[in-house]
Every structure is written in C-alpha cells, then in structure tokens.
Amino acid sequence: MIIDKVIRKQIAITLKQIQKYMKDITDKEIKLTLRDLDDIGKLVIERHNNSKKKINQYMKSEISLSFLGIVCIAHFSLAINQKEDSSRPLPSSWIKSEQQPDPNYIISNLLVHVTNHSLAILKLVCNGLDPSARVLLRVLNELSWLTIILSADRDKIVLYHKAFQDGEEENVWYKHFRLKNLNKNLSDIEKKLGLDVDQELLKILKENREKAYKFYSKYLHNCYSNIMIQSYAQSFENEEHLDFALFGKETVWSLDTLNNLNWILFYLIGILIPLFKTMHNFIPPVDNELWRYTVYLRHLFTEIYLYVIQLHERNGLFLDQVSVHSSKKS
C-alpha cells in the first residue's frame, strides 16, 4: 500500500529516529518496521478480497442489477450531450447569460456524477465498506432528485447556474434545493407526468424520499447510534454474530444499501424519457445510434429490475419499502 520509493525510504529513516528516541526516554524498544506496515497493507487487501467473495456469493443479483443501471445512466449522459440539436432533449437557449452554457451539457455532467457515485457505492459495498457507501448514498439521492428537477424546470436550472456566477451557491442551495423544496418540486413533476392518477403512489414516493433523506443523513452527519453500531458487521451465516469492521467487512446490511442504490437508478432511468417527452416534446431519435442503445438499456434495466424484485418476493427476502411499493405501482 505504501508504494512510493521516496516515501518508503523516508519512513525507514524516521522509524530509526523514533526508535532511538523512545529507547532513550523509556528504555523500551518499538519494533515497528516498514515490513510491518506492508503486512497491514496486505491485511487490508485480504479483507477486501474476502468481502468481495462473500458479497458476490450472497448478493449476485443486486450487484448485477446495479452494474446494468450504472451502464444505462452512463449512456444517458453521453446521449444527452451530442452535437446534433435533434439529439438534445433540452432547448439550447434555456439559460440566457453571458456564458450561455447549454443546459444539456449541465444535465449530462450531473449524470456523470450519478454514474460515478453509483459505481463508487458498488465498489465500497463489495470491499466491505458499507457505512461509507451509505454516506455516498445520501449524496446520490440528492443528486438524482436535483438532476430530475433541473431537467424539468427552466427557472431552477437558471438559478443553479447563476448561483455559481454570483458566488451565491450556498445561499441559493439553502433557499431552493433543501429537502422540502426538492420533494415539492418532484411531486409537481410526478403530477405533470400523470402519476397523480394514483394518489397513494404519490404519497408513498414523497414519504419515502423524506425517510431515505433523514435515514442516510445520519451516516453523513456521524450520528452516535450509527458510529457505535456500524463499527461492526452482521454476519451472513449467523445473524446474532457481529464482526469488528476495521478496514472493512462484508455484512448482510449491504442488501439494503444495494436495494436503495438500485431503486434510485430505477426511478431516475424510468422518469427521464417521459420527462423529456412531456416537458420538452423530445422523443429519442430512432436514427441516432447512441439514443437507440440508451433506450434499449433503459428497457432492459427496467425489466431486469422488476424480475429481481419478483425473485426477492418469491424467496421471502427483505426488501426496502421504497422498492417494493413503487415497483408494484409503476
């Protein structure tokens, strides 16, 4: 893990100095060596490899689904920001300022971060770092909601860009993009897309956004209960056994993390094309290869997501409430 030759040499020199100093003042030796640090690095790698084996053994379907969703979002990012105007869902003149950034470029870049955050969550889970994945899941929730709102609302994307120009990002965020505002904006969009035919669904979506935001904020803000509990990992083989999670340890709790990741991807992937059609009168052009692949991947991910949900229900596995209720209603 310590791979820089110059740093390794300096560590060896510094260790000798510390050892001499400690022996002079305590008459006791410190036997820490560079090889000991290398052994700790090997231990970290070994723990991560063991975690990957267990996660791959017990969560094959969730991991496969996550990767499929990540690939689909990546294609959306590429398809939205093509050069041809006919391939761009948002009006290029939506933001009128001196810089006049194309709003498609902004949405495309937001989806780059959705893709990369999702991939990071998947890798953290596989390495046994579930609490860290949940911190990022809180960020991803907010980012996916923001992407939808900025894609649908010209005033919001203008504010989002103008805040950067004016150095007012923090104030604008607090005023316009807090949970209360995000949730209201999303509910309004859902109604425009026709989801208000099922008021129960709208209620569930809104409530679950609030629950998810508050739940994962506990990880982001290092709440006492999370710090104390998540320093351990519940075993797959024995639910009553908790392993010390230093350097990472696979845990059955990662099932909830991956289910929520997959729900975020399912919701975002499902809503973007109907949003483009309803708000911007944009239908992905069939003669555009990148959009064709994006549409195919969207359909594929949606079908496999619902298939995995059915598998879970058939096997009696615990699923996150958001995923279960919403997939049934979709």
Side-chain angles (χ1 to χ4, degrees), residues 15-212:
L15 279 173
K16 288 180 180 179
Q17 294 172 344
I18 294 172
Q19 288 167 353
K20 183 178 183 304
Y21 173 76
M22 293 301 294
K23 188 175 181 179
D24 289 342
I25 64 172
T26 66
D27 200 30
K28 293 184 179 180
E29 290 188 62
I30 293 180
K31 297 182 179 180
L32 180 66
T33 65
L34 191 55
R35 179 174 294 180
D36 293 327
L37 296 176
D38 289 336
D39 287 341
I40 293 172
K42 292 176 183 177
L43 172 65
V44 173
I45 293 172
E46 182 182 355
R47 284 181 73 88
H48 288 181
N49 288 337
N50 290 338
S51 291
K52 287 176 187 175
K53 290 178 182 177
K54 287 285 187 179
I55 294 292
N56 287 334
Q57 178 184 351
Y58 287 99
M59 299 184 188
K60 293 189 289 287
S61 60
E62 291 78 17
I63 292 170
S64 302
L65 185 60
S66 296
F67 183 74
L68 186 58
I70 290 166
V71 171
C72 184
I73 288 291
H75 275 72
F76 265 105
S77 176
L78 294 170
I80 287 170
N81 195 38
Q82 296 181 77
K83 292 181 179 179
E84 302 85 4
D85 286 340
S86 61
S87 299
R88 292 171 168 245
L90 277 64
S92 298
S93 60
W94 235 22
I95 302 175
K96 295 180 180 179
S97 68
E98 291 181 4
Q99 294 181 342
Q100 289 186 331
D102 191 309
N104 296 285
Y105 179 66
I106 295 173
I107 302 303
S108 175
N109 285 344
L110 285 165
L111 291 172
V112 168
H113 287 272
V114 171
T115 301
N116 292 347
H117 286 355
S118 299
L119 188 59
I121 290 168
L122 186 57
K123 287 189 172 294
L124 286 168
V125 165
C126 288
N127 284 331
L129 300 167
D130 186 71
S132 302
R134 292 186 175 204
V135 172
L136 200 49
L137 201 58
R138 159 65 165 74
V139 176
L140 181 62
N141 255 315
E142 198 170 47
L143 177 61
S144 66
W145 301 338
L146 180 67
T147 302
I148 293 167
I149 291 166
L150 296 185
S151 297
D153 191 325
R154 178 184 177 276
D155 291 339
K156 290 295 188 295
I157 200 169
V158 168
L159 273 171
Y160 183 73
H161 171 255
K162 189 173 184 297
F164 164 73
Q165 285 187 308
D166 298 344
E168 289 288 317
E169 287 179 297
E170 186 175 344
N171 292 335
V172 169
W173 191 271
Y174 183 79
K175 186 175 180 180
H176 296 281
F177 299 114
R178 287 185 298 167
L179 173 61
K180 181 179 178 181
N181 306 97
L182 291 173
N183 219 351
K184 182 182 182 305
N185 293 150
L186 286 168
S187 292
D188 290 342
I189 292 169
E190 288 161 353
K191 290 174 184 176
K192 290 178 181 178
L193 296 180
L195 295 182
D196 55 345
V197 296
D198 191 336
Q199 291 296 323
E200 179 67 15
L201 172 59
L202 284 183
K203 182 181 178 183
I204 289 171
L205 290 171
K206 184 178 179 180
E207 289 177 352
N208 281 323
R209 281 193 290 267
E210 292 174 353
K211 289 177 183 177

